[in-house]
Each structure stands twice: as structure tokens, then as C-alpha cells.
Amino acid sequence: MDFKSLSDEQILTELTQRVKQRRLNLNITQEELSKRAGVHVQTIKNFESGKTTTLFTFIQILRAFGDLDALSSFLPDPGISPIALLKLKGKERERASRSAKNKKGDSSW
């Protein structure tokens, strides 16, 4: 599916329908999913009907499905940014130098 051509509302509808279809494929009722997710059954009904919900609810549903790993493919770890890498390199330890007194060859002997 080409999400770029869809409106935000259409994407929301597609997402909620996929969650509903996943629930049905797992042969789980809305009541069972609500118990597993730790939310009220009305929250599941609202989510599946595309009513305003929270990202927190979506995460709870994914956890109840055992599908939290899907988030990794959805938003892969970007790793360290080049700017942050440069900043870290600036904090690398430098070799300690001898004190100025010892550099000149001064000794107390």
C-alpha cells in the first residue's frame, strides 16, 4: 500500500483496520484484547472505529499481540548522528603529558 497518496484520516483508518484484522486473525475478542492490553473494552472499540486515541493505547495493543518488535521495522534505530559522533570524538582521552617542571629536565637531585 502506498501510504504517501493517502490522507492522514485514511492512514488512521488503515492502521485501525489492520489492528482489528490482526485481532480477528488471532481469534481474540475485543474484551479479551482489552484485558490483555490493560485497557477498558471501550478503548479497544474506539481504537478500532478510528476514534481519537493515544499512542500509548497503540503500544499497549501491540504488546498484547506480542508485536512490539514491529516498531523496529516501522522506525529503525537511526544510530548515532554524525554530529554526535564528532562531539564524542572531541571527548576522547588525550595522553597525559609530563608536567612542565619535568619537561625542562629540572630535577631535585
Side-chain angles (χ1 to χ4, degrees), residues 2 29 38 54-55 65-66 71 73 76 80 97 104 109:
D2 182 19
T29 64
T54 65
L55 185 58
F65 285 157
L71 293 175
S73 59
I80 190 163
S97 60
K104 294 181 181 180
W109 294 83

Side-chain angles (χ1 to χ4, degrees), residues 13-38:
T13 299
E14 181 64 26
L15 179 64
T16 57
Q17 289 306 304
R18 287 185 185 198
V19 167
K20 181 177 181 177
Q21 191 59 52
R22 176 80 171 127
R23 177 181 62 78
L24 294 172
N25 289 346
L26 292 172
N27 199 27
I28 301 173
T29 64
Q30 288 179 330
E31 291 79 15
E32 179 63 26
L33 179 57
S34 73
K35 288 177 188 173
R36 289 184 185 186

Side-chain angles (χ1 to χ4, degrees), residues 7-98:
S7 69
D8 292 346
E9 290 79 18
Q10 290 170 320
I11 293 171
L12 178 62
T13 299
E14 181 64 26
L15 179 64
T16 57
Q17 289 306 304
R18 287 185 185 198
V19 167
K20 181 177 181 177
Q21 191 59 52
R22 176 80 171 127
R23 177 181 62 78
L24 294 172
N25 289 346
L26 292 172
N27 199 27
I28 301 173
T29 64
Q30 288 179 330
E31 291 79 15
E32 179 63 26
L33 179 57
S34 73
K35 288 177 188 173
R36 289 184 185 186
V39 298
H40 194 276
V41 69
Q42 189 61 47
T43 302
I44 300 298
K45 290 178 181 182
N46 289 344
F47 185 89
E48 289 185 357
S49 66
K51 292 184 181 172
T52 302
T53 187
T54 65
L55 185 58
F56 189 73
T57 298
F58 182 57
I59 292 168
Q60 289 174 297
I61 291 170
L62 286 179
R63 185 181 304 280
F65 285 157
D67 288 339
L68 280 177
D69 289 339
L71 293 175
S72 291
S73 59
F74 171 62
L75 284 173
D77 183 358
I80 190 163
S81 74
I83 293 173
L85 186 60
L86 284 173
K87 287 180 181 177
L88 284 175
K89 285 193 177 217
K91 292 184 178 184
E92 288 180 352
R93 287 187 57 171
E94 293 182 20
R95 187 172 178 189
S97 60
R98 291 188 267 168

